[in-house]
């Protein structure tokens, strides 16, 4: 999921929301030497309940019960582990956004827009390789390959996520809740962090969801029945949240993820969506393989990128599922709302 504003942030982002790290991600993190640093927030005492609107509940299957035993973590756990590894040896710039890419045989001339407080500067620098790992609404993809609508496949679902300040009354903090299958609400407990909260619903009119405050769209989607005590509490938690994301779900479909010296990674390239539970795992695996093939092809970046695409694409195609009919690929994508 991406944010409305394409500009780079002025600093590292906060911890972020819930992620399940499956075997592909764990194996990659182990090869990278960061698996221990990522950690594991799974609470072995957690119980997940299926809850009715009137408050009735029964034990259900939690996210941690899925096959493969995913580690329950936060997005920021991966970011922090990677940052600790690369920061000592890599120049990291904040508030810097590419505005133009000019690729040629000697490299890529990148025009950069930098904001530092009230100061704004624009410079052009040359790089041997440009990697766009900048999310669903990738700026690098737009500059190098074309508009979002060419590649974004709408799934006609809305997702809303935040971190809860208060657990559900009558439940332990380490308990999970799944309410209203079909218009689902999940809470995700952690060992040492406030629970995560995720709403999901289907809509035939994505545009309408963004023409009003997100909590109003959520209340409309989960109406007209009375919300009851549990769902009502979760809606209030979202309404009172200082940070959240409210977005439409899309997959990215591209025939190629690279040119000779520009390449896309993660959600910018293949966005499997949160429904696959493989976004973070495949992003790390793709980056790990790219680094390996660049090392194996010193001085021949185009060949490394071609080999990388050929090796990775079958795995991503399997995880993404069958392609959508052509008519679906030209729907106008909506920007996310974040706060």
């Amino acid at each position: 999921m991406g944010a409305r504003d394409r500009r780079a942030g002025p600093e590292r982002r906060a911890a972020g929301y819930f992620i399940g790290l499956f075997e592909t991600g764990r194996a990659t993190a182990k090869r990278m030497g960061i698996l221990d640093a990522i950690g594991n927030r799974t609470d072995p005492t957690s119980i997940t309940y299926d809850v009715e609107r009137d408050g009735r509940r029964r034990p259900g299957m939690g996210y941690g019960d899925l096959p493969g035993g995913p580690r329950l973590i936060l997005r920021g756990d991966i970011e922090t582990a990677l940052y600790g590894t690369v920061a000592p040896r890599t120049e990291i710039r904040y508030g810097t956004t590419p505005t133009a890419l000019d690729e040629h045989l000697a490299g890529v001339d990148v025009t950069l827009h930098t904001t530092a407080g009230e100061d704004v500067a624009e410079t052009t620098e040359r790089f041997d390789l440009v990697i766009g790992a900048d999310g669903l609404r990738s700026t690098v993809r737009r500059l190098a390959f074309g508009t979002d609508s060419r590649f974004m496949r709408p799934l006609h679902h809305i997702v809303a996520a935040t971190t809860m300040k208060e657990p559900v009354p009558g439940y332990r903090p380490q308990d999970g809740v799944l309410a209203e299958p079909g218009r689902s609400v999940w809470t995700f407990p952690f060992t040492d962090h406030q629970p995560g909260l995720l709403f999901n619903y289907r809509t035939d009119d994505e545009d309408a969801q963004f023409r009003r405050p997100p909590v109003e769209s959520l209340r409309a989607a989960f109406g007209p029945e009375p919300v009851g005590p549990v769902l009502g509490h979760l809606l209030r938690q979202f309404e009172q949240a200082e940070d959240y994301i409210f977005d439409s779900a899309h997959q990215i479909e591209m025939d190629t993820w690279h040119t000779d010296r520009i390449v896309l990674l993660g959600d910018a390239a293949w966005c499997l969506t949160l429904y696959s539970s493989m976004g973070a795992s495949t992003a790390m695996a793709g980056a790990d393989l790219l680094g390996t093939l660049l090392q194996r092809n010193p001085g021949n970046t185009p060949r490394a990128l071609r080999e990388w695409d050929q090796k990775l694409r079958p795995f991503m195609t399997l995880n993404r599922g069958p392609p959508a009919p052509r008519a679906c690929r030209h729907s106008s994508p909506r920007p996310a709302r974040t706060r």
Side-chain angles (χ1 to χ4, degrees), residues 124-152:
T124 298
E125 301 180 38
R126 179 168 296 179
F127 298 90
D128 295 327
L129 174 65
V130 172
I131 300 174
D134 49 345
L136 174 63
R137 295 178 176 87
S138 165
T139 296
V140 174
R141 187 185 65 230
R142 177 175 53 85
L143 294 174
F145 297 92
T147 60
D148 289 347
S149 60
R150 290 183 57 189
F151 309 110
M152 293 178 70

Side-chain angles (χ1 to χ4, degrees), residues 184-248:
S184 64
V185 189
W186 286 74
T187 68
F188 301 99
F190 302 105
T191 54
D192 53 0
H193 194 274
Q194 291 296 97
L197 173 61
L198 175 68
F199 291 86
N200 171 78
Y201 63 91
R202 180 172 177 80
T203 178
D204 293 325
D205 188 356
E206 290 183 0
D207 289 347
Q209 311 309 307
F210 294 88
R211 288 196 290 264
R212 55 195 171 195
V215 71
E216 291 186 13
S217 289
L218 286 173
R219 292 186 183 280
F222 285 84
E225 305 92 338
V227 295
V230 173
L231 182 55
H233 175 79
L234 298 178
L235 285 166
R236 289 192 297 274
Q237 289 288 293
F238 185 87
E239 184 176 20
Q240 297 167 7
E242 296 175 1
D243 296 294
Y244 64 77
I245 189 166
F246 181 82
D247 199 5
S248 50

